[in-house]
Amino acid sequence: PAQALEAAQPTQISTTSDTLKFDDGTTAPATRPVATPVRSDAYQSIRELNRSKKAKILEGSIIYRCDHRTGNGFHVRMGDDTGEINIKFWGSAADKFKCHQGLQKAAVIQIQGFRVHDLTPKQLEYAPAGRSIELVYDNQVHPDIYVLSQPPQTSITQDMDPQEALLHPINSHVNIVAWVVDMSPDV
């Protein structure tokens, strides 16, 4: 029976990184075993980033978001299995990424193109435990944020003004913060 099984399967004669070629002329895509994780040297954990202070590709989930009351900046806290780190957005990067779906609580993202910034003694008081750096997006040429997993719709609650609300797609649910400036006594 084992000999019959071997005879039924074509013999592999050559391999490329994308295709297997068999001696009967057929081809098949080359696959990796499902249980084999693929990790590039370009990726790093938050702990590795804190040690090396050299920016590579970072993956994690958004734990917290804070839109600054003055100016156009905001920051998020991202975490992975090794720790948490703050990521701050200023200037044109804040404008570009303010409504990015990946920068909402519970989203899982991959980032690159950020600048590593050493924390001052005062900033260390507010940093995640064990962290001596933060990441900054301000005027970098190629900051990239890739969404690996969208946040659940229920977690996207962000107060915004009417101008920000108009930037969202039609049929989006938004919370608008507004104040009445003048009311007519005739009402």
Side-chain angles (χ1 to χ4, degrees):
Q3 290 174 340
L5 182 61
E6 287 176 18
Q9 295 182 359
T11 306
Q12 179 181 339
I13 58 170
S14 67
T15 305
T16 66
S17 61
D18 299 329
T19 308
L20 300 175
K21 293 183 181 180
F22 299 98
D23 60 2
D24 67 352
T26 60
T27 61
T31 58
R32 288 192 162 102
V34 174
T36 304
V38 178
R39 182 164 170 97
S40 167
D41 287 338
Y43 292 87
Q44 67 190 151
S45 69
I46 292 172
R47 182 181 298 144
E48 290 167 339
L49 173 64
N50 196 63
R51 275 191 227 137
S52 71
K53 297 186 181 181
K54 292 187 175 136
K56 292 185 179 183
I57 299 171
L58 199 60
E59 288 184 14
S61 61
I62 301 300
I63 298 166
Y64 171 80
R65 177 180 171 132
C66 177
D67 291 290
H68 300 165
R69 293 180 189 259
T70 58
N72 67 338
F74 68 97
H75 72 272
V76 296
R77 182 166 289 179
M78 185 170 94
D80 68 9
D81 293 339
T82 66
E84 298 176 357
I85 193 163
N86 289 334
I87 308 169
K88 295 187 177 175
F89 294 81
W90 303 107
S92 62
D95 294 335
K96 180 178 178 180
F97 292 110
K98 187 166 191 117
C99 293
H100 195 285
Q101 288 295 314
L103 297 173
Q104 305 299 326
K105 187 175 179 181
V108 178
I109 61 171
Q110 180 185 89
I111 63 171
Q112 62 185 17
F114 48 86
R115 183 168 52 89
V116 177
H117 177 260
D118 287 319
L119 296 174
T120 65
K122 179 137 177 88
Q123 290 173 316
L124 284 170
E125 295 175 29
Y126 302 101
R131 230 32 76 228
S132 62
I133 59 171
E134 65 185 5
L135 306 179
V136 177
Y137 277 94
D138 47 17
N139 57 4
Q140 286 86 340
V141 179
H142 298 291
D144 290 316
I145 300 172
Y146 302 101
V147 179
L148 303 178
S149 174
Q150 292 278 349
Q153 289 298 323
T154 57
S155 72
I156 303 176
T157 57
Q158 174 186 353
D159 292 340
M160 59 190 72
D161 63 35
Q163 285 181 317
E164 291 172 320
L166 291 173
L167 296 174
H168 287 270
I170 295 173
N171 295 327
S172 294
H173 295 275
V174 296
N175 295 332
I176 299 175
V177 176
W179 292 265
V180 175
V181 177
D182 189 22
M183 282 186 58
S184 171
D186 298 336
V187 177

